Amino acid sequence: MTVARTPLLSVKDLTKHFGGKHSLLGKPRPIIPAVDAFSLDIHAGETVGLVGESGCGKTTAGRTILRLLEPTSGSVHFRSRTYAEARGPERADVVAADSNELRLLRRDMQIIFQDPYSALNPRLTLASNVGEPLRANKMGNRGERRERVAELLERVGLAPEMMDRYPHEFSGGQRQRAVIARALTLDPSFVVADEAVSALDVSIQAQVLNILLDLQASRNLAFLFIAHDLAVVKYVSHRVAVMYLGRVVELSPTDELFADPRHPYTEALMSAVPPPHRRKRPPRITLAGDVPNPAAPPSGCHFRTRCRYAKDRCVSESPALREIRPGHLAACHYAEKLTLRPASVR
Ligand code: SF4
């Protein structure tokens, strides 16, 4: 697949803080930087995987990019087809968009939520659930909307005859296909897939992933694919960004990241992935201690309290995310020098 050179989406120094100001009792509340200076370009037809431990800020980053959460600072620029039709060809400034502009942008930027059970309204039929974005945007009459829903259900491997059934009549895999169909109703060009297959059995996961890959190939869709399962991320992603404590600590083409990680956190994450074909797994790298409190992160490198390679410099100096090879960025003072173990899944 050819990946266009001008980014579809450009995120620059995006920050999302929670907390702050005062509690009801007048006590100052700590500021929690859930996403800190997050920068990423995504091209049309590209999938960028976003990985990291639970609570590292992956989901918050995805939702802040779509402005489902209001950013604290930073910029998001997006080349939106529907916005361009209404307002002109410039890339839309998602952060500055007013409610009308945001409605135009949302047609082109969609999200697939993690839980297929809560993502569908149990009181509505499949046709109403999947056709909801068309109704909300006043697109087509009832017959045209049903036609569009039938076409989408077929694309995700569900029989159009199912459209008058209710969500409780479907399995988890079928519901997740319906959630994917709904995300595609308005023909978006960018989708945040937030743990889109985590709740599914392994065999169903593979089917749903293949549907996503087919849709990407036929519609040149771009994905931000948020997941904690590195094997799944490797299967679908062109590039992978690794997050720790709200920051991207490594970003690389997928094959290169798995063959030659350049950040000690990535090395530790990858050591937890079981090797294929029952090969003997080298001992897992156990990270020392717990994830630090994001409201009071360690000085210098935020990863230093758990890093087995930390040195004095890491206490006082925060490492910048820098390009160590073309297209491969890492936030570690010693990224070029450390001998790190590659993943066993390659
Ligand atoms: Fe470890 Fe230091 Fe690199 Fe941080 S900068 S990852 S503490 S070696």
Side-chain angles (χ1 to χ4, degrees), residues 48-106:
V48 177
L50 187 58
V51 301
E53 290 164 292
S54 299
C56 71
K58 310 184 291 287
T59 290
T60 305
R63 291 176 189 208
T64 310
I65 288 170
L66 297 179
R67 258 189 79 192
L68 296 173
L69 292 170
E70 282 300 323
T72 306
S73 63
S75 68
V76 178
H77 286 95
F78 180 63
R79 224 163 7 94
S80 161
R81 194 175 50 245
T82 47
Y83 181 94
E85 279 162 14
R87 305 282 154 114
E90 296 86 33
R91 287 203 300 180
D93 183 340
V94 179
V95 174
D98 61 26
S99 55
N100 285 332
E101 291 170 333
L102 210 47
R103 207 169 46 243
L104 290 172
L105 288 169
R106 291 259 165 80

Side-chain angles (χ1 to χ4, degrees), residues 5-272:
R5 294 181 78 196
T6 316
L8 176 73
L9 177 86
S10 279
V11 183
K12 188 96 182 99
D13 291 330
L14 192 69
T15 298
K16 175 65 187 172
H17 291 173
F18 292 109
K21 300 207 178 134
H22 293 87
S23 68
L24 280 177
L25 300 175
K27 285 188 182 165
R29 284 191 305 183
I31 291 175
I32 299 165
V35 176
D36 193 5
F38 182 97
S39 297
L40 183 68
D41 284 349
I42 301 183
H43 298 80
E46 184 185 32
T47 298
V48 177
L50 187 58
V51 301
E53 290 164 292
S54 299
C56 71
K58 310 184 291 287
T59 290
T60 305
R63 291 176 189 208
T64 310
I65 288 170
L66 297 179
R67 258 189 79 192
L68 296 173
L69 292 170
E70 282 300 323
T72 306
S73 63
S75 68
V76 178
H77 286 95
F78 180 63
R79 224 163 7 94
S80 161
R81 194 175 50 245
T82 47
Y83 181 94
E85 279 162 14
R87 305 282 154 114
E90 296 86 33
R91 287 203 300 180
D93 183 340
V94 179
V95 174
D98 61 26
S99 55
N100 285 332
E101 291 170 333
L102 210 47
R103 207 169 46 243
L104 290 172
L105 288 169
R106 291 259 165 80
R107 291 190 198 170
D108 250 1
M109 307 172 90
Q110 291 285 324
I111 184 164
I112 300 170
F113 291 106
Q114 171 175 6
D115 182 3
Y117 291 88
S118 57
L120 298 175
N121 185 335
R123 293 168 192 274
L124 298 181
T125 62
L126 197 58
S128 300
N129 267 299
V130 175
E132 166 61 25
L134 294 171
R135 217 173 25 254
N137 283 278
K138 300 187 174 62
M139 294 166 86
N141 57 33
R142 190 165 180 273
E144 286 164 343
R145 288 200 293 266
R146 279 183 75 83
E147 215 172 282
R148 173 78 177 141
V149 169
E151 180 202 323
L152 284 162
L153 292 181
E154 258 185 337
R155 286 205 88 128
V156 298
L158 292 174
E161 299 78 58
M162 293 174 165
M163 71 162 87
D164 292 317
R165 295 195 203 155
Y166 288 85
H168 72 268
E169 298 177 66
F170 295 103
S171 68
Q174 287 172 325
R175 286 181 203 215
Q176 193 60 320
R177 287 169 196 233
V179 171
I180 292 170
R182 188 176 59 186
L184 300 174
T185 309
L186 299 174
D187 199 15
S189 45
F190 172 63
V191 174
V192 173
D194 186 3
E195 300 281 5
V197 295
S198 311
L200 306 176
D201 292 342
V202 176
S203 59
I204 310 292
Q205 269 189 7
Q207 290 172 14
V208 173
L209 288 173
N210 287 331
I211 288 170
L212 292 177
L213 290 174
D214 286 350
L215 289 165
Q216 179 173 55
S218 61
R219 303 160 86 116
N220 212 25
L221 260 174
F223 284 104
L224 179 64
F225 193 89
I226 299 170
H228 62 271
D229 185 333
L230 286 172
V232 167
V233 167
K234 183 176 187 312
Y235 183 63
V236 297
S237 306
H238 298 94
R239 289 186 295 148
V240 178
V242 182
M243 269 186 100
Y244 183 75
L245 227 56
R247 294 181 175 176
V248 173
V249 295
E250 187 159 10
L251 172 66
S252 164
T254 307
D255 289 344
E256 188 171 321
L257 188 85
F258 280 76
D260 188 17
R262 290 290 92 215
H263 194 284
Y265 179 58
T266 312
E267 179 196 40
L269 275 187
M270 288 186 172
S271 75

